[in-house]
Structure formats: C-alpha cells, structure tokens
Amino acid sequence: MSIAREEAPLTPRQRTILDELGRRGFLSTADLAGTFDVSDMTVRRDTRALSKLGLVKVVHGGVSAVEGHGQNADFAARAREDADAKQRVAKACVDLVADRDAIILDAGTTTYQIAQELPTSFMGTIITHSAPAIQRCLQLTSARTICLGGELLLDSQAFNGPMTVSAAQGLRAKTAFIGVSGIHDEAFYIERDVERATKLALMASAEQVVVVATHQKMLRYALAKLAVFDAVDILVTDAPPPQEIEAALKAADVKLIVAA
Amino acid sequence: MSIAREEAPLTPRQRTILDELGRRGFLSTADLAGTFDVSDMTVRRDTRALSKLGLVKVVHGGVSAVEGHGQNADFAARAREDADAKQRVAKACVDLVADRDAIILDAGTTTYQIAQELPTSFMGTIITHSAPAIQRCLQLTSARTICLGGELLLDSQAFNGPMTVSAAQGLRAKTAFIGVSGIHDEAFYIERDVERATKLALMASAEQVVVVATHQKMLRYALAKLAVFDAVDILVTDAPPPQEIEAALKAADVKLIVAA
DNA sequence: TAAGATTGTGTTGGAATTACAACACTTTGC
DNA sequence: GCAAAGTGTTGTAATTCCAACACAATCTTA
C-alpha cells in the first residue's frame, strides 16, 4: 500500500503480456491467443490498447517490445550511430585477445561491441562495469565474468563510484579496452568527469591499455581530460587519423591499428 | 586472429541480423529488406538459413530472437514456473516498501519479480547482485541502483564471491528480500553453498529481513542450511503454510504474510 | 427489482499483408 | 567459358488483420 501504482487501466492479461514481452521481445498473436485461451481478436484488442499507451509495438503477426523505456533508449540509439565503424573497431580488438586472456571492458557503446563480437566459445575472463556488456556475458558459457559493482549511472549504463574503483584496484588483467569521447592535443578526453577515476583504475589494472575510438572522435575535445598518450599502448580506430594525431601517437610510442 | 570463430558459414548480413536481434528481440521482414536494400525474398532466405541453424525463430512477418542461448534459458524457464504465485508474493513485498526506502534484492526468480513489480516511479535505492534485477533497474529512472560486484554465476545469474560479500558489508538498507529454496525444521535452506556467505551478508546489512518463498518451498530441504527462523523478521508466501511451520514461525516471532 | 448502459468477448466475411516455389538474371571464381 | 552461389521477379497460396455485428456478464439507475 505504500507505493502508488500509476498503471491503473491495465487488465491482468495485459500486464502478463507486457511481462512476457520484457523477457522474450516478441510474442505472436496466435501464441498469445493459445496461452490465454481467448480469440485472436481479443489478443489484438489487448495489444492495440498497449500500443496506444506506447508500451509495445504492434507488428504484423504479433507484438514486439518497444525499446523506448527509460534511459535505455539513449544507449541503444547511441549504439546504432556509426554502428559499422564501431563493429570494425570491435572486431580488430577481438583480434588482440587470446583465448585465456583476462580482459577489461570499459563502459560505452564501442566497448559493448567488443563484448558482442567475442565468440561464444571465449574461455577467458571478462572484467567490466558495463551493464549491457554483462548482459552479453550471460551468453558466454565458457567465459568467466567479473562485475565491478557500484552505483548505476543511467546514461552510460555502467556502475561507477568509489566501489567501482576499489573493486578494480583489486584485480589484474592482460588488456584493458577503454572508450573515450575525444582525442586532441596528445590526450584523450571523456564526457563525464565522474568516470575519470574509474577509467584510470581500469587502466592501472591492466598490463596493456587499448583505447578504442571511431574516427568521429578525432580532433574533438570533451569535458574532462582522461590521460595523455603516454599512458596508452594501442589505439584502435576505423580510419587513418589526421596527421598531427598520427605524429603525436608515434612520438608517444602508441601503436596505431586502423580496422579495415 | 587469436580466437577461432566457430560461426563459419554466416554472411555479414546474417551476422548483422543476429546482432540487431540480440538487441531488439524482433525484426520484420520488410524492415530488414529496407535496411539492407534487398528484396523480401533475400531476407527470407537469410532468416530461414539462420532458423535452420537454430539461431532465430521465423514467425509470420519477420524473425524473433530465440531464448535458448546460454544458461539464460534456464533462468527464464524457472521464472515462468509458478509465475502466478511469484507475482502475488512480489506484489505483497512491494507493499512493504515505502518510496524513499533502501532495499536489498537477493538473486532468484521470486526476488526478480519484486524488481518487476516495483513501479517505475520508485524513488528509493535498490541494492542487488542479480543481473536480471539490474536489467530491470535500467527502467527505473527515479531510483538509485547499487550493484554488488563479483563473479557472475550463470545458473543464478547473479554475482557472488568475496567481492560481493565485502561490497554488501559496506552498505546499509532498510529491508532485505531474500530468496530460499526450502523451508523445514525451523530453518531456511538454499541450493548453492557458494551463495550462503552472500545471503548472510545481505541479511546483516538490513534492518529488516524478509524471506520470500512460494508454497512449493514448504517442507522441502535443499543442500545448504542458510539460517534459522530467528534470523528473519518476515516471511512472505502465497498460501497458508503447514501447521508445523506456522507454529515454528510464531515461536520464532516471524511475521507471516500470505499474499492474496 | 428490473431495465438500460457498459464492458468484455466471440464470430464472420472480405481486405491487406506476407510466404513461397519456380524461373531468370547477375556476379564470382576457377 | 562454365559452374556455383546469390539475388530479383512473378503469380499463387496461406496467413493475418479488422470492421461490424451478436452475445454474455457486470454495473447503474430508476
């Protein structure tokens, strides 16, 4: 009784549909009619009502979950931007990983693609504070996944704060894949200052630090300075960077990998 | 080059379809045809090939993600068992929560239902080590979510181990909702011994300990003994328990809540 | 209490959408 | 130049959608 429930006009059947949809992503009209033992028409009326409330998307043959819930939509939308470039970068990163390695995955959409590109047979260890990456790790039955806890930030969909930092400090990995928002003046920049401590802790816990950044990040500043080039071993991107950056990378002895 | 990719005979387009499907759950044939700028027939040939490999499910109108990947299916299947009972228990638990409370959610399908039943307007704090619960928390834009890190166990889909325990010890909440596998002889039992330390730490960090258990758990043993009745304040279930349990609960001063 | 209104549901037929087999065309590699 | 693989097109079959109407259960109101 303590909490007011805002979803007043939903029948039990509609709530069940929403619930299942959250788990399955798609439900066919015929299946639903069978499950509830009602006619197709009744199911259609339910789904149409839910669709009118923006809770589901009606498609030919059934209903599909709508991804526009909470901050969740932002991340999904960002993941789709330059998806090709991110995928190419991610594939090149996976090529840097051997089968028993322990790797660290930072938050962000590009690093998330690395998790997606990891083969399901991967037998190493994944250390991450990214909620979407963990979701992906549930599919990797041979891998070991270690989550760095902390407070959930909705915009980055990752855990952060002192808990995350201290959890990272207790671990050691071979390679850390770090995402950045901008590259300029021999340094890497990030959007959220609160993530700085976490990223630095991740970098300190790995033998080898790999920064991933699509070409859109080149010659761009962002709010906070993360680290200078010297702190990084490899930069993986999807197009040859501007000359000034390439020269600075070479001067700082950062290996450059341009994904095909 | 380091990792062998087992999915050999997949075209780039098919891989992209799989990839998107992992995020969206459903894709319509027409949409896919538009996205790749190919004919419906070509898309259908792709989806049929993927379906033959068991990677997707073809439905009238498009393709749907198949949930039989990884251990993931187990949890989803268990969540569906006695779903009604779990939902009733979960609703009763939500009624114990006030809007600014900090609550602890243990791993398990019943506690997961609590996360599902929490209104999206909930403005308190959720502390959990359950991956599905965290997934749900991404929708709760007003709440604060704290993840207890640790090693991911695929069968319980939760984080566990020393990291989890020490993370829990540093926190304090009003109510902890704990799942159990059996109730017998004035004690609560659980399936996995490794979870014992985590559950005890969660219980120690809350003012009030609530155990959730559907009636199927009554008079059942499980592998490990978690705690005696005295360590718990409230038991929420969905049907009146056997007399011997009810008497023992009363003797141990455990409040019994039977959800309607 | 009875009549009327409201809500939820099932049925029907035709309209709209999708599926699929068969064939023709283009590209690729040898 | 030929075989193989991939793709587009066409017409037809199968499925789904939906508006309209009929029926039952519940709730209102006189």
Side-chain angles (χ1 to χ4, degrees):
Chain A
M1 283 305 198
S2 313
I3 303 183
R5 188 162 274 130
E6 77 274 17
E7 304 104 350
L10 282 192
T11 70
R13 197 175 49 225
Q14 289 170 339
R15 302 207 67 213
T16 308
I17 292 175
L18 269 184
D19 210 53
E20 267 297 293
L21 210 53
R23 283 191 283 273
R24 313 262 292 242
F26 173 81
L27 297 167
S28 85
T29 307
D31 280 355
L32 286 171
T35 304
F36 297 116
D37 198 33
V38 294
S39 75
D40 297 5
M41 199 59 226
T42 301
V43 171
R44 235 169 254 127
R45 280 189 265 251
D46 277 344
T47 55
R48 201 187 299 174
L50 291 172
S51 151
K52 201 159 291 179
L53 296 172
L55 300 171
V56 304
K57 196 171 83 185
V58 174
V59 299
H60 199 100
V63 275
S64 156
V66 65
E67 50 180 331
H69 261 208
Q71 218 86 3
N72 211 319
D74 281 18
F75 190 90
R78 266 181 288 150
R80 263 195 299 282
E81 287 173 16
D82 316 305
D84 281 3
K86 287 170 186 171
Q87 192 169 353
R88 281 200 302 273
V89 169
K91 278 178 179 158
C93 288
V94 169
D95 287 345
L96 297 173
V97 179
D99 225 339
R100 307 245 173 215
D101 283 358
I103 64 173
I104 294 175
L105 287 185
D106 185 24
T109 53
T110 309
T111 47
Y112 169 63
Q113 268 301 320
I114 298 176
Q116 291 286 351
E117 291 295 328
L118 274 177
T120 52
S121 59
F122 177 60
M123 294 198 300
T125 300
I126 300 156
I127 300 167
T128 186
H129 63 128
S130 156
I134 283 164
Q135 204 58 21
R136 162 65 177 164
C137 290
L138 289 171
Q139 320 281 92
L140 306 180
T141 48
S142 304
R144 196 172 161 213
T145 302
I146 294 179
C147 170
L148 305 170
E151 182 167 349
L152 179 63
L153 295 187
L154 287 179
D155 47 4
S156 65
Q157 305 222 351
F159 310 113
N160 251 289
M163 282 176 69
T164 319
V165 171
S166 67
Q169 283 166 346
L171 299 168
R172 189 87 195 142
K174 175 149 180 242
T175 310
F177 295 97
I178 307 291
V180 301
S181 298
I183 302 178
H184 207 309
D185 289 349
E186 309 178 20
F188 298 106
Y189 291 82
I190 59 177
E191 292 289 356
R192 285 172 285 272
D193 197 50
V194 287
E195 295 183 342
R196 187 164 185 273
T198 304
K199 282 173 193 276
L200 289 178
L202 295 180
M203 291 164 70
S205 296
E207 281 178 42
Q208 189 182 44
V209 175
V210 178
V211 166
V212 296
T214 56
H215 68 274
Q216 291 89 354
K217 312 292 174 63
M218 300 293 171
L219 293 180
R220 274 187 50 194
Y221 285 109
L223 263 179
K225 187 178 192 172
L226 174 67
V228 295
F229 284 1
D230 289 307
V232 170
D233 299 298
I234 301 178
L235 170 64
V236 180
T237 183
D238 65 306
Q243 284 232 330
E244 49 203 293
I245 288 182
E246 188 157 2
L249 288 170
K250 190 164 235 167
D253 205 25
V254 178
K255 184 176 172 191
L256 174 66
I257 296 179
V258 179
Chain B
M1 281 307 197
S2 314
I3 303 184
R5 188 162 276 130
E6 77 273 19
E7 305 103 353
L10 283 192
T11 70
R13 195 174 50 226
Q14 288 169 340
R15 303 206 67 216
T16 309
I17 291 175
L18 269 185
D19 209 54
E20 269 296 296
L21 210 53
R23 282 191 284 273
R24 312 263 291 242
F26 173 82
L27 296 167
S28 84
T29 308
D31 280 355
L32 286 171
T35 304
F36 297 116
D37 199 32
V38 296
S39 75
D40 297 4
M41 201 58 226
T42 301
V43 171
R44 236 169 253 128
R45 280 190 266 252
D46 277 344
T47 56
R48 202 186 301 175
L50 291 173
S51 151
K52 201 159 291 179
L53 295 172
L55 300 171
V56 305
K57 196 172 82 185
V58 174
V59 299
H60 198 99
V63 275
S64 156
V66 65
E67 52 177 332
H69 261 207
Q71 218 86 3
N72 212 319
D74 281 18
F75 190 89
R78 266 180 288 150
R80 264 194 296 283
E81 287 173 16
D82 316 305
D84 281 2
K86 286 169 186 170
Q87 192 168 355
R88 279 200 303 273
V89 169
K91 278 179 180 160
C93 288
V94 169
D95 287 345
L96 297 173
V97 178
D99 225 339
R100 307 245 173 215
D101 283 359
I103 64 172
I104 293 175
L105 288 185
D106 185 25
T109 53
T110 308
T111 46
Y112 168 63
Q113 267 302 319
I114 297 177
Q116 291 287 351
E117 291 295 329
L118 273 177
T120 53
S121 59
F122 178 59
M123 295 198 299
T125 301
I126 300 156
I127 300 167
T128 187
H129 64 129
S130 157
I134 282 163
Q135 204 58 18
R136 162 64 177 163
C137 289
L138 290 171
Q139 321 281 92
L140 307 180
T141 48
S142 306
R144 197 171 160 211
T145 302
I146 294 178
C147 170
L148 306 170
E151 182 168 349
L152 179 62
L153 296 187
L154 287 179
D155 47 5
S156 65
Q157 305 223 349
F159 310 113
N160 250 288
M163 283 177 67
T164 319
V165 171
S166 68
Q169 282 166 347
L171 298 169
R172 190 88 195 140
K174 177 153 178 234
T175 310
F177 295 97
I178 308 291
V180 301
S181 298
I183 302 179
H184 207 310
D185 290 348
E186 309 177 19
F188 298 106
Y189 291 82
I190 59 177
E191 292 288 358
R192 285 171 286 272
D193 198 48
V194 288
E195 295 184 342
R196 184 163 188 273
T198 304
K199 282 174 193 276
L200 289 177
L202 295 180
M203 291 164 70
S205 294
E207 282 176 40
Q208 188 182 43
V209 175
V210 179
V211 165
V212 296
T214 56
H215 68 274
Q216 290 89 353
K217 312 293 173 63
M218 300 294 171
L219 293 180
R220 275 188 50 195
Y221 285 110
L223 264 179
K225 186 177 190 173
L226 174 66
V228 293
F229 284 2
D230 288 309
V232 169
D233 299 298
I234 302 179
L235 169 65
V236 180
T237 184
D238 65 307
Q243 283 232 331
E244 50 204 290
I245 288 183
E246 188 158 1
L249 288 170
K250 190 164 234 167
D253 205 24
V254 178
K255 184 175 171 190
L256 173 66
I257 295 180
V258 178

